[in-house]
Amino acid sequence: MRFSPQKPSLFGETLDSLTGQLEAADFKGFRAKQIMDWLYKKRVDSWDGMTNLPKDLRAWLDASFILYPTAPVIDKRSDDVTQKLLLELEDKSLIETVLIRAPQKGVGQEDSRKTVCVSIQVGCAYGCKFCASGLAGFRRNLMTAEVVSQLMHICRREDAHTERARAELASFDNIVFMGMGEPLANYDTLVRTVRILNAEWGLNFGARRITVSTSGLAPQILQLAEEGVAVRLAISLHGATNAVRDQIMPVNKRYPLETLIPAAKAFQQRHGRMLTLEFILIEGVNDSLDQARELTKIAHELHAHVNCIPYNTVAGLPWKRPSIRRQDAFVDVLRKAKVSCTIRREKGHDIEAACGQLRLKTEENRAKAV
Ligand code: SAH
Ligand code: SF4
């Protein structure tokens, strides 16, 4: 389904595209940089807030664009660790954006690391058997402005609590594309969004602090390797053999491990940085010691860090997380083989779990809304 908004949002424009449109409407091209400053550095939420622009230009902006294409319906700081923002789009679809704080030992709350988890589609077409987004089916791709504005909402909310706002820096440390949807299936939007976030005239946010998580779209992994955006890549592996992956991830039929692993390797070699392999531990599905041994081989081959994530229960799905003992035994195999590996246990600190909850929450709210 394609969605055509009434007016485009300014958050979908680049400095070049806006300059071109200003000049075509007989305004000075240099105004584009001033407008971007209002959006990304001073972070205003109205045309009138753009005080150094002439009135006729503000009127033209108002007639040509909207500012935010997403409107917060719930803004819930559930605890000190996560903050969830439920956003409504112009077509009434709902998406959620999550901010996760990971306080560090000996460091005050203000200085804790903040990661924003964004959505890139409404629903997801890939149908992984364990995932709430897959359950909900696919509605549509998000547009660039809908993705960028998720981050700007969070940024503006955090500005009040941080010194960084005064220095015109983003008020969070990392961005992960781990919310709803498959980033590599909305490829052009992903790349345009990263370029806007990365640009000096934009959020000036380093691509190295952006992680794209994919269920394994091999051709797009190869394309992204050559795209010239230095994002980090996380592969949702969740099975170390085709037999296990086939059971839970339909995408594996199209891009089995013998296709996916060389693509991931090409990305790793092009960028020279560690990949992350995400591995949700699901009881009786992928948590055997044999799987751990196979995973070890893949991690060594790809020079990858493994992030084990105990499965986060989804209502209506039969899967369970393994016992702590079984989780430990799995991780032990990896550690003994000198694989760099983490396992997250605390719910609130767990980006992936928070994003899992994010989807659930979204669906619940949708159901309540009808
Ligand atoms: N489509 C992309 C990005 C979104 S999913 C992908 O699949 O990578 C982000 C992460 O959350 C993925 O690793 C996904 O497998 C994981 N995830 C999905 N459902 C989950 C659940 N119930 N518990 C824990 N992690 C889950
Ligand atoms: Fe889609 Fe990722 Fe969920 Fe699979 S895990 S259904 S690819 S969002």
Side-chain angles (χ1 to χ4, degrees):
M1 190 175 93
R2 239 189 120 71
F3 165 63
S4 316
Q6 300 281 324
K7 282 190 254 176
S9 158
L10 209 46
F11 284 111
E13 301 300 324
T14 62
L15 188 65
D16 283 351
S17 68
L18 185 58
T19 306
Q21 290 178 69
L22 284 168
E23 286 173 349
D26 271 346
F27 291 104
K28 296 266 186 279
F30 76 86
R31 296 286 185 192
K33 174 74 170 56
Q34 290 180 323
I35 295 168
M36 292 307 190
D37 273 358
W38 285 115
L39 284 188
Y40 293 104
K41 307 291 196 289
K42 303 192 186 76
R43 313 201 257 264
V44 293
D45 65 349
S46 72
W47 308 118
D48 286 342
M50 303 184 173
T51 50
N52 64 352
L53 303 184
K55 256 203 162 140
D56 60 340
L57 176 52
R58 275 187 260 165
W60 177 81
L61 284 171
D62 188 35
S64 314
F65 295 100
I66 57 164
L67 259 174
Y68 278 81
T70 49
V73 284
I74 301 179
D75 180 353
K76 203 168 141 218
R77 195 180 279 246
S78 52
D79 47 48
D80 286 346
V81 178
T82 56
Q83 179 178 9
K84 295 169 185 174
L85 203 57
L86 183 70
L87 298 169
E88 190 178 67
L89 312 180
E90 251 190 278
D91 66 356
K92 305 287 177 211
S93 296
L94 295 171
I95 53 168
E96 265 195 56
T97 312
V98 179
L99 174 75
I100 303 107
R101 292 179 177 73
Q104 285 163 350
K105 258 192 197 140
V107 182
Q109 185 66 40
E110 234 74 274
D111 301 316
S112 63
R113 292 179 72 72
K114 295 176 194 166
T115 299
V116 186
C117 178
V118 290
S119 297
I120 189 135
Q121 298 181 311
V122 184
C124 182
Y126 284 81
C128 301
K129 300 276 195 291
F130 47 80
C131 171
S133 299
L135 262 188
F138 175 67
R139 188 173 300 172
R140 70 169 171 92
N141 276 331
L142 293 187
M143 294 177 299
T144 303
E146 291 169 326
V147 186
V148 174
S149 70
Q150 291 175 53
L151 292 152
M152 298 314 294
H153 277 301
I154 295 280
C155 211
R156 293 187 62 234
R157 269 161 178 69
E158 286 303 295
D159 280 349
H161 311 283
T162 161
E163 287 291 308
R164 295 183 233 184
R166 242 172 277 156
E168 300 180 343
L169 295 170
S171 41
F172 45 75
D173 305 284
N174 299 293
I175 297 170
V176 294
F177 284 86
M178 292 187 182
M180 209 193 292
E182 168 51 53
L184 296 186
N186 192 3
Y187 188 89
D188 293 344
T189 295
L190 172 73
V191 170
R192 190 174 170 93
T193 299
V194 170
R195 294 221 158 99
I196 291 174
L197 298 174
N198 200 206
E200 218 176 291
W201 52 260
L203 200 57
N204 204 1
F205 194 89
R208 282 161 191 280
R209 293 190 285 145
I210 301 176
T211 300
V212 172
S213 176
T214 177
S215 59
L217 275 57
Q220 286 88 339
I221 291 174
L222 292 172
Q223 194 181 349
L224 191 64
E226 301 303 323
E227 193 67 62
V229 289
V231 290
R232 289 175 181 270
L233 186 67
I235 310 248
S236 291
L237 201 64
H238 312 327
T241 53
N242 283 327
V244 169
R245 245 183 148 244
D246 278 346
Q247 267 181 46
I248 50 175
M249 301 181 77
V251 69
N252 197 64
K253 293 253 161 50
R254 212 147 119 214
Y255 307 117
L257 290 174
E258 55 277 19
T259 310
L260 173 58
I261 291 170
K265 194 165 186 168
F267 188 97
Q268 194 275 323
Q269 285 174 342
R270 188 80 178 82
H271 291 272
R273 293 174 52 238
M274 258 192 152
L275 298 176
T276 299
L277 297 176
E278 293 166 89
F279 207 93
I280 307 177
L281 290 169
I282 311 175
E283 188 182 80
V285 174
N286 62 3
D287 61 341
S288 70
L289 300 186
D290 272 350
Q291 280 289 299
R293 284 187 279 270
E294 292 300 322
L295 177 56
T296 296
K297 290 185 209 157
I298 298 175
H300 281 314
E301 181 172 358
L302 293 178
H303 182 53
H305 173 85
V306 176
N307 190 12
C308 292
I309 310 146
Y311 178 68
N312 199 36
T313 322
V314 174
L317 294 180
W319 319 107
K320 279 200 280 203
R321 61 168 62 176
S323 67
I324 298 274
R325 253 187 57 204
R326 239 178 123 84
Q327 295 175 26
D328 282 344
F330 190 94
V331 168
D332 256 10
V333 173
L334 298 174
R335 294 218 167 111
K336 287 215 173 90
K338 304 260 184 296
V339 171
S340 157
C341 159
T342 39
I343 178 150
R344 305 265 170 83
R345 291 242 163 80
E346 288 157 280
K347 251 194 182 169
H349 294 203
D350 181 356
I351 291 160
E352 289 81 1
C355 294
Q357 289 159 11
L358 150 78
R359 295 187 197 92
L360 273 180
K361 190 84 196 160
T362 307
E363 296 312 315
E364 278 168 19
N365 277 295
R366 240 192 231 157
K368 273 187 219 145
V370 288

